[in-house]
Amino acid sequence: MLDLSRPLVMGVINTTPDSFSDGGTLYRRDSLDLDSGLRRATEMVASGAAILDIGGESTRPGAAPVSEAQEMDRVLPLLERISSELDVVISVDTSSPALMTEAAARGAGMINDVRALRRPGALQAAAAIGLPVCLMHMQGEPGQMQDKPCYEDVVAEVSGFLHARIEDCVKAGIPRSRLLLDPGFGFGKTVRHNLDLLAGLPQLAELGLPLLVGLSRKSLIGKLIDREVSQRMAASLALGLLAAERGAVIIRTHDVAETWDALAMFSALMEREKV
Ligand code: 9MG
């Protein structure tokens, strides 16, 4: 069980050839290199990651769609390899009920679903496997989500969506104690929507469940301060800290060591009477 009394780092491991930030970096001659994946995972754990998030589907706008079989082929071998070698919670980033079920059998400790268990069969699969699940908000589907995101009140609408998903999960037999929530920064949101959500995190925390956020290297940084993906670490750290200050307890990031250091300063401030 994770101790969420202070913010934790979730390290991103993409097994995709085309993710926006680190796509293809684990590939050698067109195939996923498990040794590189394990090396990346080992470095992240040594740098302070409490959770690793392994994904096999790129959700960046315009990414090539992936079949369920392809996603399983990318994720499961690396999941098995890491879970047999490292003592860390492994989250699987998927919306596929079949992958959720297989992943649970092969050592996954958590499911991260950017579609919040809305695919047919996903609620039932998540209920059956009994793992914690992160429910993320997304307006639309990855291919078109950034075309014209539209809200009257983004914080109220994301909160309403997450509230409804919690209810559906509970009805399907997934207890609240197994759920985490994520506003889905960059998933069908303009820069203004993302900033409103960051400012409004305390309102989402009122839903009473742990908040996970992913802001690492996202395009809002590029739009706000004109930085290429490789130049977005400092801004990502700032956003992660601002999120932690507003109640986020898991920060999903590509830059584990730096994020861990930044959050350690946040925790020191929160727990200063112990120093
Ligand atoms: C898979 N993935 C990409 N970005 C994400 C984010 O912001 N949150 C979660 N939960 N998953 C994400």
Side-chain angles (χ1 to χ4, degrees):
M1 203 45 205
L2 291 167
D3 173 10
L4 297 177
S5 62
R6 55 166 66 178
L8 300 178
V9 179
M10 171 187 254
V12 178
I13 300 191
N14 278 317
T15 65
T16 49
D18 58 347
S19 282
F20 81 100
S21 167
D22 56 351
T25 54
L26 300 181
Y27 278 72
R28 183 168 301 169
R29 283 192 224 96
D30 286 345
S31 62
L32 184 66
D33 179 23
L34 296 183
D35 289 334
S36 301
L38 179 62
R39 221 173 299 121
R40 175 85 50 86
T42 306
E43 279 164 18
M44 285 185 166
V45 173
S47 302
I51 309 168
L52 301 177
D53 191 36
I54 306 182
E57 178 201 13
S58 172
T59 45
R60 78 175 162 75
V66 65
S67 72
E68 194 169 63
Q70 249 176 330
E71 198 187 341
M72 305 239 283
D73 283 349
R74 288 176 182 171
V75 170
L76 292 173
L78 187 58
L79 164 66
E80 278 191 313
R81 182 77 187 274
I82 296 174
S83 73
S84 67
E85 305 258 355
L86 298 177
D87 184 19
V88 63
V89 174
I90 305 175
S91 160
V92 171
D93 155 22
T94 188
S95 302
S96 150
L99 179 50
M100 289 175 196
T101 305
E102 271 303 311
R106 302 195 200 190
M110 175 176 164
I111 301 298
N112 173 29
D113 186 1
V114 298
R115 295 179 183 81
L117 303 181
R118 284 179 291 160
R119 279 229 177 120
L123 278 170
Q124 293 73 11
I129 63 182
L131 295 179
V133 182
C134 178
L135 303 171
M136 198 197 79
H137 175 272
M138 166 164 58
Q139 188 178 77
E141 273 289 315
Q144 306 79 31
M145 67 188 176
Q146 289 305 107
D147 287 354
K148 251 193 184 333
C150 180
Y151 303 84
E152 281 199 359
D153 177 339
V154 68
V155 179
E157 287 170 51
V158 169
S159 176
F161 168 87
L162 293 172
H163 176 74
R165 293 312 296 148
I166 297 168
E167 306 254 287
D168 285 346
C169 285
V170 171
K171 272 190 219 138
I174 307 170
R176 281 179 65 90
S177 58
R178 279 211 271 121
L179 298 175
L180 300 99
L181 306 177
D182 185 335
F185 288 103
F187 284 81
K189 278 111 189 164
T190 61
V191 171
R192 176 58 194 268
H193 296 141
N194 287 311
L195 293 174
D196 283 347
L197 279 169
L198 184 56
L201 276 185
Q203 212 172 309
L204 299 182
E206 285 171 13
L207 290 165
L209 294 176
L211 296 180
L212 186 159
V213 298
L215 288 148
S216 179
R217 304 183 188 175
K218 287 207 171 162
S219 67
L220 83 145
I221 299 171
K223 290 182 183 144
L224 282 168
I225 57 170
D226 191 20
R227 295 285 185 276
E228 292 302 316
V229 173
S230 62
Q231 300 299 315
R232 293 180 188 169
M233 189 189 8
S236 302
L237 296 179
L239 291 173
L241 269 186
L242 292 166
E245 197 168 37
R246 284 158 180 75
V249 292
I250 300 180
I251 310 295
R252 185 179 185 275
T253 182
H254 302 85
D255 301 298
V256 168
E258 295 81 0
T259 304
W260 192 92
D261 283 1
L263 292 176
M265 296 304 102
F266 172 79
S267 298
L269 180 63
M270 293 299 107
E271 300 166 10
R272 59 193 176 280
E273 70 284 359
K274 292 189 196 160
V275 175

